[in-house]
Amino acid sequence: MVKPPLTLAVDLGGTRMRAGLVRDGGELVVRRAEATPRGAACPDALMALVGDILADERVDRAVIGVPGRVDHRAGRLEYAPNLPPHWPESLDEESLSGRLGLPISLANDADLAAVGEAYFGAARGHTDVVYLTISTGIGAGVVLDRRLVTGTRSWAEVGHTVLEHAAGLRGEPASFEDLGSGTALAQRAARAGLPPDGARIVALVHDGDPEAIRVWDDLVSVICTGVINLAHLFTPSAIVLGGGVGRNGDLLIAPVREALELRGPRGLPTPIEVLVAELGDDAALVGAAGWLRAREAPCHG
C-alpha cells in the first residue's frame, strides 16, 4: 500500500530551527530541532536539518516558515533581522526548490502558526481568527473566513506598530514589541532588580511577589492595548495568544477579556473569545499542513 504524501514543514528561527513532516489533517509525524548555526550557510544548514527526513519518507511539497517579511509574488524573504545576516539572500523559493527537489512555499512564521491554530489548534471551531505570538518579539497572523490575510507581502507586523507616540518622537521605545514582548519583560525586571528571565518572573508572580506583580501588570497593560487594536482592525471571533509569554493563560486571559469588554468592538452578537495556543512551539510546523488551503480558500466577504 502506497503511503499518502506528506508535507515537509520547516520553522527557521534566529535561535532554533525546527523541521517535521505533517499529514493533511495536521498530524506531526516526524519532528527535529537544532540550534541555528549562525556561522553556516543557509542552504547547508537547511539540508543538514532535513536531509535524513527526506531520505526516508515520500514528501510532495515543503513549506518553510521564516521570522520576517515575505514577498509572496517574488517568492523570497525580504527582511528578517533575527536571522543570521547572510541568510535572507539565500531564502527564495526557486533556489531552495532546486536544492530540495520539491515545490517550496516561503511563509512568515506567525502566518504559519495562525493557520496551525485556526485549522488544527485552539481556534479550529472559528472562521475568523487572530493569532498573536508574544515571545522574544511580537508577531501576528490573521485568518478571516478560513483564508489567510495576505497580499503581495506578508501582513500583520503588529509588533512594529507604535503604541507610545510621544516616546517614539523622542527616539525612545514606543512599539508594541518594544513595550510588550518577552524582551521588554526582561528589561523591566532588570530595572526593578528582579531576575531578567520571563519564567522566573512568572513564578514570582504566582508566589505573590509585589514587585514582580507590578512589572507583570505593566506588561499586561501593553498587551491588552495591542490586542484591542487587533480586535478593532479585524473583528475576529477568536484571538489566540501564543509564544512564551502569551501561553501564560492563567495570568493573561482574564485581563485581556476584561480589556476587550471595556474597549473592544461594540455591539457584537457574541464576545470575542480569547484562547491560549494549543500547539506550542509546533504551531508553525503543523500550520504547513493547511498552508495551501489557507492561501487558496475562496473569499466570501
Side-chain angles (χ1 to χ4, degrees), residues 199-218:
R200 296 275 303 278
I201 295 300
V202 168
L204 289 170
V205 170
H206 282 130
D207 289 341
D209 183 284
E211 193 63 16
I213 291 172
R214 182 189 65 78
V215 167
W216 178 260
D217 286 348
D218 286 347

Side-chain angles (χ1 to χ4, degrees), residues 114-115 118-119 127-130 141-149:
V115 172
Y119 276 55
T127 57
D128 298 333
V129 178
V130 168
V142 181
V143 174
L144 300 181
D145 203 15
R146 305 289 286 173
R147 182 183 176 91
L148 180 71
V149 174

